[in-house]
Amino acid sequence: IRFPIAEGIAGHVASCGEMLNIIDAYKDPRFNQAIDEETGFRTKTILCMPLINREGKIVGVTEVINKKNGVFNTEDEELLRALSSQLVVALENAQLFEQAVNMRNYLENVQESISNSIITLDNDFKVVTANRAALGLFQQDQKDIQKQDIRTIIGIDNQRIIKHIRAVYSTHRTIVDYNVPMVLPHGKFSINLNFVPLIGYK
């Protein structure tokens, strides 16, 4: 059920950030009776609390209704406050994960659209990613090149390139080289190289 943030007990808590413990919902003018009318449910007691993140921003509310015995008390408030704090963490983690996935997809799309060959390696010379241009250069599929040792892929005839890769690993510095001959099983090429360390990658 969706409703404007200005309506109902939940809307009031979301707007004002204050916890509400309502003993009789129908006697509270902030209560939105339309939801009961729509669902056929009868709301009696309400305990509603804002979800506030680490920045002090309200990101939602939690609401429990109709306690089985009596009205909500201080112990119930503390329990809901504890649950709400865990919910905030879960919400933030979900949002961060979604942002990370979106950024990864964006970067992958950018990488795929670049005409230059781009390959990333882990700390053991193993291929992590290779864009479409790189796969075309080596004439391999993603599943075949991924997790393979770049030294094996390049081959022993390309020691100048392998030397550069080793140097980047040891110095953590960018290396640029132009008109480098590359010999592959399907042909000979002259390529420009730009090796960049991925700082902080493990």
Side-chain angles (χ1 to χ4, degrees):
I1 299 173
R2 299 182 67 87
F3 55 89
I5 194 171
E7 293 184 8
I9 300 299
H12 177 83
V13 171
S15 300
C16 301
E18 63 177 2
M19 181 196 71
L20 288 179
N21 189 339
I22 309 299
I23 296 175
D24 189 337
Y26 279 81
K27 289 183 179 180
D28 193 303
R30 297 166 295 191
F31 176 63
N32 181 11
Q33 300 181 22
I35 296 177
D36 272 11
E37 293 170 2
E38 183 178 344
T39 61
F41 190 80
R42 177 72 180 185
T43 302
K44 299 174 184 176
T45 57
I46 302 173
L47 180 58
C48 191
M49 188 168 297
L51 298 177
I52 302 175
N53 65 14
R54 287 172 291 184
E55 299 172 353
K57 181 181 178 181
I58 299 171
V59 295
V61 299
T62 51
E63 184 178 85
V64 288
I65 56 177
N66 292 4
K67 185 175 179 179
K68 287 184 178 181
N69 299 308
V71 297
F72 294 107
N73 55 29
T74 304
E75 185 178 339
D76 298 320
E77 293 174 3
E78 290 302 318
L79 176 58
L80 186 58
R81 185 173 287 108
L83 291 172
S84 297
S85 66
Q86 295 301 312
L87 284 173
V88 169
V89 173
L91 279 173
E92 288 184 324
N93 287 343
Q95 290 168 347
L96 288 172
F97 178 75
E98 183 179 6
Q99 292 170 8
V101 169
N102 289 338
M103 180 57 69
R104 184 191 65 188
N105 292 339
Y106 171 76
L107 292 176
E108 286 179 353
N109 288 334
V110 170
Q111 182 172 299
E112 286 300 317
S113 67
I114 295 175
S115 59
N116 294 332
S117 298
I118 301 176
I119 296 175
T120 61
L121 307 176
D122 64 12
N123 287 331
D124 297 314
F125 292 86
K126 301 292 179 62
V127 175
V128 177
T129 65
N131 71 347
R132 187 179 293 110
L135 296 176
L137 174 64
F138 291 107
Q139 293 190 356
Q140 294 200 45
D141 294 329
Q142 188 73 248
K143 60 181 178 60
D144 296 324
I145 199 173
Q146 208 162 21
K147 296 183 180 180
Q148 296 300 313
D149 193 309
I150 190 64
R151 295 167 294 188
T152 301
I153 296 171
I154 292 174
I156 59 174
D157 294 326
N158 299 294
Q159 289 302 313
R160 179 173 169 182
I161 299 173
I162 294 174
K163 180 181 177 181
H164 284 326
I165 296 173
R166 287 199 180 100
V168 174
Y169 275 125
S170 61
T171 65
H172 304 290
R173 293 180 179 177
T174 297
I175 294 177
V176 179
D177 198 357
Y178 299 99
N179 300 318
V180 179
M182 172 180 266
V183 180
L184 296 174
H186 52 278
K188 296 180 179 180
F189 306 88
S190 179
I191 61 175
N192 297 326
L193 297 173
N194 188 355
F195 300 93
V196 180
L198 297 177
I199 304 300
Y201 178 80
K202 294 181 179 180

